[in-house]
Structure formats: structure tokens, C-alpha cells
Amino acid sequence: MRVEPDAAVGGNEPEEWFASAKKIYPMATHGTFRRIKWAILFVTLGIYYFLPFIRWDRGPNAPDQAVLIDLEGRRAYFFFIEIWPQEVYYLTGLLIVAALTLFLMNAVAGRIWCGYLCPQTVWTDLFLWVESKIEGDRRDRIALDNAPMSLSKLCKRVAKHTSWLMIAWWTGGAWVLYFSDAPTLVYELATFQAPWAAYLWIGILTTTTYLLAGFMREQVCIYMCPWPRIQAALTDEKALNVTYRWDRGEPRGPLKRNKELADQGLPAGDCIDCAQCFHVCPTGVDIRNGLQLDCIQCGLCIDACDNVMTKVGKPTGLIGYDTDENIQRRLDGKDPIYEIVRPRTVIYAVLIALVGAIMLYALLSRDFSGISAVHDRNPIFVVQNDGSIRNGYTVRLMNKRNFERSFLVNIEGLPTGTRIEAIGIDHYFEGRPYVVVGPDQTREIRVLVYSPTGAQMPSSTPITFRLTDTVMGEVTTTKGFFKAP
Amino acid sequence: MTDIHKREVDTLSGVETTGHEWDGLKELNNPLPKWWLYIFYASIVWAIGYWVAYPSWPLVSSYTAGLLGNSQRDDAMAALEAGRAARAEIGTKLIDASLTDITGTPALLDFAMANGRAAFGDNCAACHGSGGTGFVGFPNLQDDSWIWGGTLDDIHTTLKYGIRSGHPDTRSGEMPAYGRDGLLEKDQITQVANFVASRNGLETEAGVDLAAGETIYQENCAACHGEDLKGQREVGAPNLLATNFLFGKSLAAIKAQINNPRAGVMPAWEGRLDPATVKSLAVYVHSFGGGE
């Protein structure tokens, strides 16, 4: 079938049909929210870059780095907490708390995570600052981009990309310090003796930081990040969002004209249409179009607008953290209300407290020893010449203290006369193997259990392995089975 | 066809067309991004460099070796050698240590167990089973019936020299073929077999004179298997009251064994495996739990 050209074209305008991303040149601004953003940038990046250098004395057998993920030794250290691979479920708890905190932030003030705390925002902010220091503010940068290549342009470009790469490289460098003793690794890196994985990860993080914070910027937030989509489904009309108070601002117009309109008693808003709010926006949003997916709620447009309002002698707060509900209330002649405490926020806060309490309890009440027992699969049991039945187990004992400890291994649930034997263990106390486990180590032993001669054993008997610390009396147990014909 | 020199721009998208048109549909000219092309060209250059540097082209009887002389086989052999070197130190310790020293030292025991487990899977499991439980004709290493002894030293000796292996120091025991060689009458074999079966609690044939069987046993079998049927390890005569019989625990199997005895062969592992591995195997097999 032949499609007629007219039928195929339709009525769409080209710009609605397709538009490639436009480059955004955020202008520098100053004010309350800018100061908050600088403070958060200093604190978060300060922690990230310098935390690995903090020392923490854990005694002779453990590393003395406060925060260390020791992949080789299969341990993670966070100040006074030491996590073994078996305890990775704490990570689950942390992730749940992180998710709930994000929801709580969202219920209180929309996407403040995006605007202030998200690494993408923080590094982009830093990169933008570097860019504006070298190439100048918005107007200079636009001019520079449009200018033909010259020595001065080349110098600025080289300086900018070198600075960006240095920051990116430092970001990757700090990352690897969390996985090895920081001062040692710094020395090894400098003398090219570090493991190849360290260089690889520095390379990966240098590249991603350089690309994401230098080039992709707001496109990460708009096209790559799932949070704006999820966030939109989780928010409500009572959440504080960066809001253009159009009830006060509209109809917008030049200052002089609007003054004249007001003098004649015609409707005139406070917005003077100066475009400062979207010139400072790092994602290129015109906040006057209302809340939208691209807005990361950083509040820089509030600062820009407040500065302009102060200059033209009008009250600040034409753009501010407000709720959809309040605009409607003001139009209806009611006072605005701010309900931070409401069922949604209370539930999130209670859940965070609950998960936190559970994690804290688990952490404080956790055992410093452990036992696991794996029953032999082949053979499941062996009948001895005297008629007794033997089961074999691979038993692993854990000592999570940083000193040597001795344990007694006992088995409960079998008839009296049951005999326990452990390969390689010479010492027994009342028939129970006496096992020494080194500091912060595990030890695997093979345990053989003999049923008493003549005992009629069911095909499967549930048993309990009990590990008792001979000095401190700490007891840990694990379940198992004794199999018979 | 559109004039090749005339650029036609699509009104909807603002993109130049290629000039190709099918059924009124025009192809837009959206070339590949430059970075993509540059990576593609770089890959081509890389591939050429790779041909030169590494083995690449198959020839009739050989292949192009490449300038770097790289060989994965050599790499693998070097890795094997490195592994051997890494184990050499603890291997020497294993050779120097006595068998009981090994079981008493956790570091040596761990190494011997791991080494023994691997060697058992490669060399022993084919006959004795991966769990060491054996099959008919191949002894169960997990139970406590031992034909030649189950101490660490006994197991080590068996491993080293084998059984009927042809090694000068091999363990060797021979049972006469009472039926095939006509040493006993058929009735006598039935009687003695029923006697052994009765002592093991197996069902016996009706009307067989067990007392006669016992007499035959004491005259012919007790010299090796003992008056009490408990066997004699010096000659490798199995305990006839054990839970498991090597060639099957049934009256028919006992008869077959008296009539025309089978005798298994185990190779001598000395010379086939290095001394450290043989020791590791002894420790590993002993750890099965049937060891004495």
C-alpha cells in the first residue's frame, strides 16, 4: 500500500517531535541555599576523601584503619564494629534504613536528596565551580563555546579538563583507600608497586567521575536516574517542594509595565520575568512551569529570585519551599499550613527507628564465636563391625575475638554412650573434643559421631552441636542430623 | 533519484536525507557518532597489531607464532610449575614429618587433607568410590574392617607398595581354590560355606550339617582366618565376622569365594605419586574414620 505524503506527515511541529539535549550553562548565584550546598559539599567530600586516613587501634592482630573493607581477609571494619562475611545481612538493614530515610526526606521536602546530597549533584557542583573559575560565568562560557579556537580558548580548555581529571583521579584514589591500609597504599601507588586492581579501579572511577560530573551532569538526573520516577509516585501535595508562587507572581511582566498596570488597578504579578531562576538552574528548568521531573530541588532559583526581589524592593519568597496545597489555600484566602508531622512521615520515622533498633540489638547481642556443621554426603552413615553407626561431619569453629580461645564441642540429642571423635584433636574433656582456635580465625575439624552399640536408631535424629567457650562460657549452637539405616 | 549534489532536508526532523526513497519513505542521514567510528578504527589498528604480536594465522602444519612468542600452553605449564613450587615447602615438611606429627599439627593436617582429597579423587575414587565406600571387590575404606590393617602406618604401607601389585614389598595373600582345584568336595564346600554364613547370622540352607562345616573350617581355613574366624592381617586373611565382606556378604558369595577365590589387585603408588601425596592420602583415608 502506498502512503500518501500528506497522510504520513501529520500535524506535529518539529520541535515537539524531536529535540536533542541542549547544553546548559548554569549561572553562579549566592544566598542561603547556595551556602547550605557549599557546607554539605565540604562535609560530604571531606568525609569521603579523608575518612580512610583515620586510625583506630584494634590491638595487635587487626588492621588499625577506622573504616576498612578488607576483601582479602574477608572482614569489614567500621570503627568499633567488625563484620564477618556471614554477617553481611547488616548491609540489608542499612539499605532498608537508607531507603526509608529517602522516603522520609521525600515526604518532608521532596527531592532534597537530589538537590543537596546525591553524589552526582555534589560532584557536578564542584566541577561547575571549577569551570566557572577558569572559563568565567554563564555569559563568558556561552561566548567561549561560540568563539573560534584560539590560544586563550585552548589554554582555558586544557586548564579546565586537567583540573577536572585531577579531581576525578583523586575521587578514584580515595575509593581504593577504603580497601587497603591507606598510608601504605598511597606509598605503593606513588612507587608503582600497588596491585593492578587498585590502578584499574582508580581508572574506572576517574573516567566515570570525569564523564558524569563533567559532561553528563543533569542528563544523569533526567534520563538515567530512576529516583525521579519513583519519587513522583511517593510524594503528595503536603510535601515541601521548590515552588513558584504563581498566585503572587502572575501575570508576570517587566517591572515598569507591571507597576503601571498595578497603578491602574489591573492585575499585575511580582514576577518581573528576569529569567534569573532558570539561568542559575543546574538542570535548565523553568520553575515557573510548576513542579517537574527535571527539577532536583536544589533551591538555587530561590536564592536567585530572592536576590532580584531584594533589588527591586519587593518581599522575597516569590519562589520558595512550599506545598501545592498552600497555593490553593492562599487563593481561597486561607492561611498556609505546614504539616511536617503527618501519618506518612510518622510511619517512616517509626519504621526507621524500628529497623535501627533491630540492627542495634543484633549488633550488641551478636556472638563472638560460631559453629557450623555439614553432614557427610557420601557416605551418609557407616555401620561399624560392633553394630554401632558412625556419622561424619565437617565442623567449622569461629573465633571472632582477637585472642586465642579454646572451645568444647558437644552434641546433644543422642542416647548416652554416644562417642565423639575429632580428627587431629588430642585433647578431650569428659569425652568432648577440646579445640583451640587462633585469634580472629576459623578452624575446620572433622568430627565423627558413633552411636552406642546396640542402640536402635531412627533413620534420622535431630541433634544440636553446642560450642562452649572454656573460659568465658559463651555458648553457640547449630542444628544437625544423625542418620542411620 | 534525487540529485546527489542537492541536499534535501526532512521538514519534520530537520535531518538531511540520504536521497533514498521507498514507497514514499525517505531514509534520514543520521551517521554514526564520531566517537563510535574512532573506536571502530582504533579496533582495526589494534587487530593488526595483534596479528603481528600474537599467534594468529593457522598455516598448513603450524601457525604464525607472533613477535611476542606468546603461548598459552607455556603459560599454563609455568603456572603449574609455580603451583608446584608454592607447595614444595610444605610438601618437604610433610615428607619430613611422621604420620602422627601430621595429624597433630593443624597446618600440616589441613594441607594433607586438601592434598589427599584431590589425590583421592584423581587416583582412588575410580575403584573405592568418591566417598571411599568401595564396591564389591573394592574395599570400603569408611568402615572399620581392614584386611591389611587400618592404622596410619598400615594404610601408608598399603598405598606405597600396593596389594599383589608386583612391587617387591607388596602385600600379598593367596587363598587356595578349594573347588576349582578339587581340594574339597562340593558337599564340603556347601557345609563350610553354610557354617560361615550361620556365624554371620545369614540364612543357611536346610539340612546342611553345620557341625561338619565347622570341622572342615578348622581343618582347612583356620590356619589363615583364625579359629575364631577373625582373620589374620599378616597374610591378609579377612575377618569373616566383619560387617562387610569384600566380595559380597551372602551365602552364594561365600560359596563362590571358597570354590574359586578372587583376589583383587591394588597398584603400588610409590613412584606414581610423590611421597608427600602418598602421605597425604594415608592421612586423608585414615580421617574417613574407620582407621585404627
Side-chain angles (χ1 to χ4, degrees), chain B residues 150-170:
Chain B
T151 65
L152 271 170
D153 283 328
D154 287 338
I155 296 169
H156 189 236
T157 307
T158 305
L159 274 160
K160 224 168 146 183
Y161 305 127
I163 290 160
R164 291 177 276 269
S165 65
H167 189 283
D169 295 323
T170 190

Side-chain angles (χ1 to χ4, degrees), chain A residues 375-421:
Chain A
H375 193 281
D376 281 2
R377 281 193 226 172
N378 178 19
I380 291 170
F381 57 82
V382 178
V383 179
Q384 303 291 296
N385 278 326
D386 62 6
S388 66
I389 296 150
R390 196 191 78 217
N391 278 216
Y393 303 86
T394 303
V395 175
R396 187 172 276 282
L397 312 182
M398 281 165 264
N399 171 17
K400 298 185 192 173
R401 300 268 188 199
N402 61 358
F403 46 84
E404 190 178 86
R405 291 160 82 193
S406 48
F407 298 99
L408 286 178
V409 181
N410 198 19
I411 290 166
E412 292 163 357
L414 289 171
T416 41
T418 300
R419 195 160 60 82
I420 308 167
E421 197 182 294

Side-chain angles (χ1 to χ4, degrees), chain A residues 193-239:
Chain A
Q193 293 169 331
W196 63 267
Y199 293 105
L200 177 74
W201 278 102
I202 292 177
I204 290 173
L205 278 137
T206 304
T207 313
T208 50
T209 310
Y210 178 62
L211 292 178
L212 293 179
F215 297 92
M216 317 232 357
R217 294 184 179 173
E218 80 288 345
Q219 301 186 25
V220 175
C221 312
I222 300 169
Y223 302 115
M224 289 166 69
C225 180
W227 177 231
R229 277 81 180 169
I230 303 167
Q231 185 268 344
L234 284 172
T235 195
D236 61 18
E237 73 288 350
K238 289 180 193 296

Side-chain angles (χ1 to χ4, degrees), chain B residues 221-272:
Chain B
C221 316
C224 290
H225 289 287
E227 290 175 14
D228 56 1
L229 283 76
K230 284 194 174 159
Q232 213 187 132
R233 285 173 178 178
E234 291 76 37
V235 292
N239 177 359
L240 299 180
L241 301 177
T243 333
N244 294 315
F245 278 19
L246 180 53
F247 294 104
K249 194 166 186 174
S250 67
L251 184 58
I254 296 167
K255 267 189 197 168
Q257 192 61 11
I258 300 169
N259 198 40
N260 186 15
R262 285 186 283 171
V265 172
M266 163 154 155
W269 294 96
E270 187 185 55
R272 294 186 183 216

